Amino acid sequence: MQKYARMTGWGKYVPERILTNLDLEKMVDTSDEWIRTRTGIRERHIAAPGETCCTMSVAAAQQALAVAQIPASEIELIIVATSTPDYLVPSVASMVQDQLRATGAPAFGLRAGCTGWVYALVTACQFLQTGAYRNALVIGTEHLSFGVDWSDRSTCVLFGDGSGAVVLEASDQPTGLLAFDLGSEGSDYDALIFPAFGGANPASHEVIDRRLHYLKMDGRRVFKFATRVLADSVRKVVAASDLTPEDIELVIPHQANDRIIEMARRKLGLPPEKMMVNIDRYGNTSAASIPLALVDAIEEGRIEAGAHLVFVGFGAGLTWASAAFHWEPQEPSAIPVADWPIRDRLVQPVARARTALWSARVNLATRIEPLLLPLYSFAAGYKKRRKKADK
């Protein structure tokens, strides 16, 4: 019998320490206005001494397990998505497994940059859908503050620390993952990179002197990549799910930059209330950003049972990932599989036609948008030149 992966638990953890834009003004040559207008970020959470990827993951996981009402001893699979583990070896997932006392559960880490949690979610769903496991704990955590160069204003204003976790349980009733789209463009691998402490640049005095042990980012390349793939990937999973844009209650994107999110929203033709944004509170938390946004959306009452969600991210690699997901935390009464995903098969041709029209309209907007980017850049440069002239 076909199995499905129901999301039954969720939790988050962010460090108590908050670093505001006003705090950053005292550290580097920047301003609250500059950061807000270009990123949408107002503050971010920074791990305290002793807080690590492992400790934050455990805290978020414990919340998720409590919501799902499953003891850690019954968890059958643990996947931790992160680019900032406590050690290169062992996997932080094994450390989390030990701290949770999830005795015997297989555990592994997954690195796909900011898209890591979506990759991990899709991976876990495969194990449940095939019947290999009855449940799984999927965590996205980042301890980015330890790898940020706090003298580099182009990166230090962007990132924060945190963790988000969900529990998946196998179900006989249709729910969960509807479709997914994963991809990578490795030719731009160096657009977002920790250059040192791997095999290519082992630890050395030269590495430290050149500050290669800090995160480096080519913001322009990442921005162009993100604005291209984000909307495209959402369209793909919506169409593959036999849904229409109107059927999607909420899109939960990676929280990297509110300008990127807004551009994707306009390309998709979605109203603001259908796009989850919480970057102002956390900054870019990489693999933790989508599960953090999911938990916030739940706490804000923006997700109801039966809702169709889309998780979508982009990040180091460069990678992208999206997943269309049916939200049904509690086991409902039996639903005929013929009605899955919540629609009569007789109306599917109409739905596909609506999707095709929507896709054509969005494709037109996608082609026009790059032509406008130079205008945005010129306007920003003109404003900057006017400020200098006024001084």
Side-chain angles (χ1 to χ4, degrees):
M1 174 183 278
Q2 170 70 49
K3 292 287 184 180
Y4 303 88
R6 186 183 311 283
M7 193 177 290
T8 61
W10 47 88
K12 70 176 183 181
Y13 175 82
V14 289
E16 288 187 11
R17 181 192 173 193
I18 295 176
L19 185 70
T20 68
N21 293 345
L22 296 179
D23 294 325
L24 284 167
E25 286 183 351
K26 303 171 185 177
M27 299 166 57
V28 292
D29 182 17
T30 190
S31 69
D32 172 61
E33 181 190 13
W34 190 93
I35 299 170
R36 282 188 294 105
T37 56
R38 287 162 177 77
T39 69
I41 302 169
R42 295 179 182 273
E43 60 187 31
R44 67 287 294 149
H45 293 253
I46 304 297
E51 284 188 310
T52 65
C53 184
C54 179
T55 65
M56 291 188 288
S57 295
V58 169
Q62 288 172 333
Q63 284 190 20
L65 291 168
V67 172
Q69 299 183 352
I70 294 179
S73 59
E74 293 184 9
I75 286 295
E76 298 187 357
L77 174 65
I78 299 173
I79 306 176
V80 180
T82 185
S83 295
T84 53
D86 297 355
Y87 308 100
L88 288 177
V89 174
S91 168
V92 71
S94 293
M95 299 166 63
V96 171
Q97 181 246 6
D98 174 64
Q99 292 295 311
L100 290 174
R101 292 183 171 81
T103 308
F108 63 90
L110 191 154
R111 291 196 191 185
C114 303
T115 63
W117 184 81
V118 181
Y119 268 74
L121 178 73
V122 170
T123 300
C125 285
Q126 311 309 304
F127 282 105
L128 271 61
Q129 289 170 351
T130 60
Y133 296 113
R134 293 175 299 173
N135 59 53
L137 176 62
V138 182
I139 307 170
T141 303
E142 296 294 1
H143 183 196
L144 285 159
S145 61
F146 88 86
V148 169
D149 183 349
W150 292 101
S151 66
D152 178 8
R153 69 173 185 171
S154 67
T155 57
C156 74
V157 301
L158 302 176
F159 300 103
D161 301 329
S163 179
V166 298
V167 173
L168 300 172
E169 294 185 64
S171 172
D172 294 328
Q173 294 301 314
T175 190
L177 187 67
L178 299 172
F180 61 88
D181 176 48
L182 309 178
S184 174
E185 288 187 5
S187 58
D188 280 321
Y189 76 92
D190 58 346
L192 186 56
I193 187 173
F194 275 107
F197 293 169
N201 288 304
S204 68
H205 288 295
E206 181 185 1
V207 162
I208 301 298
D209 291 342
R210 295 174 60 193
R211 306 181 77 80
L212 297 179
H213 56 302
Y214 290 124
L215 181 67
K216 308 293 183 183
M217 183 176 72
D218 183 335
R220 185 177 296 275
R221 272 198 290 166
V222 174
F223 186 88
K224 288 183 177 179
F225 172 79
T227 53
R228 175 168 55 85
V229 303
L230 212 63
D232 287 347
S233 193
V234 171
R235 288 199 301 270
K236 286 179 182 178
V237 293
V238 170
S241 302
D242 276 332
L243 299 172
T244 67
E246 290 77 13
D247 295 319
I248 303 301
E249 277 75 21
L250 192 64
V251 175
I252 304 180
H254 167 47
Q255 307 290 308
N257 182 303
D258 69 347
R259 292 164 65 192
I260 293 174
I261 296 172
E262 175 61 15
M263 192 173 291
R265 184 189 71 78
R266 288 189 284 111
K267 285 183 178 181
L268 292 167
L270 296 174
E273 62 271 18
K274 285 198 173 188
M275 188 72 77
M276 179 63 190
V277 181
N278 67 349
I279 189 173
D280 58 311
R281 287 167 268 174
Y282 305 112
N284 182 344
T285 55
S286 190
S289 77
I290 294 177
L292 279 174
L294 168 63
V295 177
D296 277 3
I298 295 169
E299 293 177 347
E300 293 169 11
R302 297 181 64 176
I303 304 176
E304 297 181 356
H308 297 95
L309 313 175
V310 174
F311 306 116
V312 60
F314 60 91
L318 292 171
T319 60
W320 73 87
S322 63
F325 203 90
H326 177 250
W327 179 260
E328 194 77 68
Q330 302 299 321
E331 190 83 25
S333 56
I335 301 174
V337 175
D339 290 339
W340 175 246
I342 321 300
R343 64 180 55 256
D344 191 323
R345 289 182 180 274
L346 293 176
V347 303
Q348 285 187 1
V350 176
R352 291 193 184 97
R354 290 167 62 197
T355 299
L357 289 172
W358 172 69
S359 183
R361 176 169 59 84
V362 170
N363 279 331
L364 178 61
T366 302
R367 287 193 292 269
I368 293 175
E369 193 71 45
L371 300 177
L372 299 178
L373 284 174
L375 296 178
Y376 298 153
S377 299
F378 175 79
Y382 177 75
K383 184 178 179 182
K384 188 174 181 180
R385 290 192 295 272
R386 282 296 302 272
K387 283 186 176 180
K388 287 184 177 179
D390 292 340
K391 290 180 180 180

